[in-house]
């Protein structure tokens, strides 16, 4: 994080754009922590909020479009073969595929808020040949909501953004794992419920 902050302070919006694009595409960069840090720097007068929102939105959409394009061109085999290098373990991929199969475009919209899911939902959208227009509509709405939320948190806490960022770094993956487990549990319960209804009828 110290090195990341040094890059942001030295290269400003350009560094934020590049880091966020790589992070959303799947590289090991703490995206939420990065957003909160940037929001904190905005609150201290280093950057403009509207410009920061535009840059972070552009960076996240660049990462999402990169993943979508790779998924469309190369398909799932690449994801299973090299996913481990960008934090996409087989269990995360399976959970994300289950989510995407059930909720599709809604997974793109809200997947931003679940670590792991946002890294693979765009790729899966590409492999399933979701139309570019439909994909961009949901992806851009999710990006705007996600960027606005975490920039807003960083801006709101102001001088305390470092403490909040450290806390987020600790709990983000736990929250993401909990959400994915709840989704799987919900799918299992729904499956048993439907099976029971069929047996009754």
């Amino acid at each position: 994080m110290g090195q990341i902050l040094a890059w942001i302070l030295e290269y400003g919006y350009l560094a934020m754009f590049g880091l966020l694009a790589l992070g959303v595409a799947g590289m090991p960069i703490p995206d939420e922590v990065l957003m909160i840090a940037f929001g904190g720097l905005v609150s201290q007068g280093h950057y403009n909020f509207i410009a920061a929102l535009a840059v972070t939105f552009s960076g996240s959409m660049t990462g999402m479009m990169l993943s979508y394009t790779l998924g469309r061109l190369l398909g799932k085999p690449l994801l299973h073969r090299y996913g481990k290098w960008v934090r996409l373990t087989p269990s995360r991929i399976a959970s994300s595929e289950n989510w995407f199969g059930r909720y599709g475009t809604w997974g793109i919209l809200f997947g931003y808020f679940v670590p792991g899911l946002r890294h693979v939902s765009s790729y899966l959208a590409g492999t399933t040949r979701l139309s570019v227009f439909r994909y961009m509509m949901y992806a851009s709405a999710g990006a705007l909501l996600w960027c606005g939320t975490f920039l807003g948190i960083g801006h709101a806490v102001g001088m305390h953004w470092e403490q909040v960022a450290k806390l987020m770094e600790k709990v983000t993956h736990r929250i993401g794992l909990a959400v994915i487990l709840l989704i799987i549990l919900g799918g299992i319960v729904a499956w048993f419920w439907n099976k029971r209804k069929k047996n009754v009828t």
Side-chain angles (χ1 to χ4, degrees):
M1 239 351 258
Q3 183 60 59
I4 287 173
L5 285 175
W7 285 336
I8 294 174
L9 288 170
E10 185 171 354
Y11 299 108
Y13 296 113
L14 182 62
M16 192 65 195
F17 173 86
L19 288 167
L20 200 54
L22 292 173
V24 171
M27 297 304 289
I29 294 170
D31 304 320
E32 288 86 359
V33 178
L34 185 62
M35 296 286 289
I36 290 174
F38 202 43
L41 292 173
V42 168
S43 73
Q44 295 173 25
H46 292 281
Y47 305 103
N48 176 270
F49 185 85
I50 299 300
L53 182 60
V55 167
T56 53
F57 172 80
S58 300
S60 61
M61 279 302 295
T62 298
M64 294 290 273
M65 286 306 299
L66 176 61
S67 295
Y68 173 83
T69 303
L70 287 174
R72 199 170 179 93
L73 295 176
L74 302 175
K76 282 193 225 178
L78 183 73
L79 189 65
H80 285 277
R81 186 170 183 179
Y82 298 107
K84 61 184 179 180
W85 299 108
V86 289
R87 302 181 298 176
L88 296 178
T89 61
S91 60
R92 273 190 176 181
I93 294 171
S95 299
S96 299
E97 286 178 329
N98 180 57
W99 170 280
F100 196 83
R102 287 178 175 273
Y103 304 106
T105 49
W106 293 106
I108 298 169
L109 179 61
F110 295 108
Y112 274 95
F113 292 88
V114 183
L117 182 59
R118 72 166 164 268
H119 298 123
V120 75
S121 60
S122 294
Y123 196 93
L124 292 175
T127 62
T128 56
R129 300 282 172 175
L130 184 68
S131 72
V132 175
F133 175 78
R134 196 174 179 200
Y135 169 74
M136 287 192 69
M137 183 175 66
Y138 281 90
S140 59
L144 188 60
L145 182 62
W146 182 68
C147 292
T149 298
F150 284 96
L151 271 180
I153 291 172
H155 191 273
V157 299
M159 297 293 291
H160 302 288
W161 67 265
E162 289 188 69
Q163 294 93 317
V164 176
K166 287 178 181 178
L167 179 63
M168 282 298 300
E169 195 169 17
K170 291 179 181 178
V171 304
T172 295
H173 292 292
R174 294 177 187 175
I175 293 172
L177 180 61
V179 170
I180 290 172
L181 289 175
L182 285 173
I183 291 168
I184 295 172
L185 180 61
I188 293 172
V189 170
W191 182 80
F192 276 110
W193 179 259
N194 291 331
K195 187 176 181 182
R196 184 180 176 184
K197 284 176 68 177
K198 288 179 181 178
N199 290 336
V200 170
T201 54

